[in-house]
Amino acid sequence: MEPSTLITERLVLRPHLPADVAEVHAACQDPAIQRWIPVPVPYEVEDAETFVTESVPRGWREDTEYNFAVRLGADGPLVATLGVHVRGAFAHEIGYWSVAEHRGLGYMTEAVTAVARWAFAEAGCVRLIWRAGIANAASRAVAEKCGFVIEGVQRAGMEHRETLRDCWIGALLPSDLGLPSRLPYLPDPRRDA
């Protein structure tokens, strides 16, 4: 897929560029990011370079994952990174982290909503999955604000630093955002009974 740029009221979301390396490196020194996100620890400049200059372009080129640098305006600071990973023909999974000093300002909710709409309209997504380690309340709050339905707990559902952990799982469907789906959906008839 050709890399995309998305613009919201306050944000510009675009694929990472080499100029982002220093900000990605600085952000990933944050213990909160290292606690929940599977980044290398310690996180070296080389790790940021590999992510920005190799992993991000390869994901777009191979249609396996679509990572966005989330900036406050076109020339503003990096406030977050957000990725959509292809998880088979019928699902994509979203993941994100935000820069510590930009948390709690609604940027991540704005970015996740924009990327979800893009994933349904442009990337062929029919079910967007969100997962986070149990107790990652900030990630769950964003997911819920964006309309994800929390479906439960997956036992040993995530691997993090060679340890399986329980995680929350939720999903967002195109219809949750008032969008059409490329496949029809037949919900469980007992759901509303």
Side-chain angles (χ1 to χ4, degrees):
M1 171 176 289
E2 284 297 315
S4 297
T5 297
L6 310 175
I7 298 173
T8 69
E9 184 178 330
R10 301 179 293 174
L11 307 171
V12 173
L13 295 79
R14 57 147 172 83
H16 283 279
L17 301 173
D20 298 335
V21 168
E23 287 176 291
V24 169
H25 175 256
C28 289
Q29 302 310 302
D30 179 4
I33 290 175
Q34 293 179 4
R35 177 180 181 195
W36 298 113
I37 307 298
V39 296
V41 176
Y43 195 84
E44 306 292 347
V45 172
E46 294 78 19
D47 298 313
E49 288 172 346
T50 298
F51 173 69
V52 167
T53 65
E54 296 176 26
S55 300
V56 170
R58 182 177 52 248
W60 282 93
R61 187 174 54 250
E62 296 176 359
D63 283 325
T64 56
E65 63 183 276
Y66 314 108
N67 284 289
F68 293 89
V70 181
R71 293 198 163 274
L72 190 54
D75 299 318
L78 180 73
V79 299
T81 288
L82 192 153
V84 174
H85 309 268
V86 178
R87 297 289 188 235
F90 304 109
H92 291 63
E93 182 173 351
I94 196 163
Y96 42 84
W97 55 256
S98 58
V99 177
E101 57 266 26
H102 298 290
R103 292 183 187 136
L105 301 170
Y107 298 138
M108 188 55 76
T109 301
E110 189 174 326
V112 169
T113 300
V115 170
R117 289 183 166 284
W118 170 85
F120 293 133
E122 303 296 328
C125 180
V126 294
R127 182 172 190 265
L128 189 58
I129 298 167
W130 160 87
R131 293 184 304 151
I134 299 296
N136 188 345
S139 183
R140 181 174 175 152
V142 168
E144 289 178 324
K145 285 177 189 172
C146 293
F148 282 80
V149 173
I150 307 304
E151 298 173 332
V153 172
Q154 283 187 320
R155 293 175 47 218
M158 296 180 83
E159 183 275 328
H160 189 74
R161 305 206 198 299
E162 300 182 10
T163 300
L164 293 176
R165 296 181 177 187
D166 293 350
C167 66
W168 289 314
I169 185 165
L172 187 69
L173 303 178
S175 58
D176 296 331
L177 298 178
L179 299 171
S181 178
R182 68 178 175 88
L183 292 175
Y185 167 51
L186 180 61
D188 181 347
R190 301 170 296 169
R191 187 173 70 181
D192 296 324

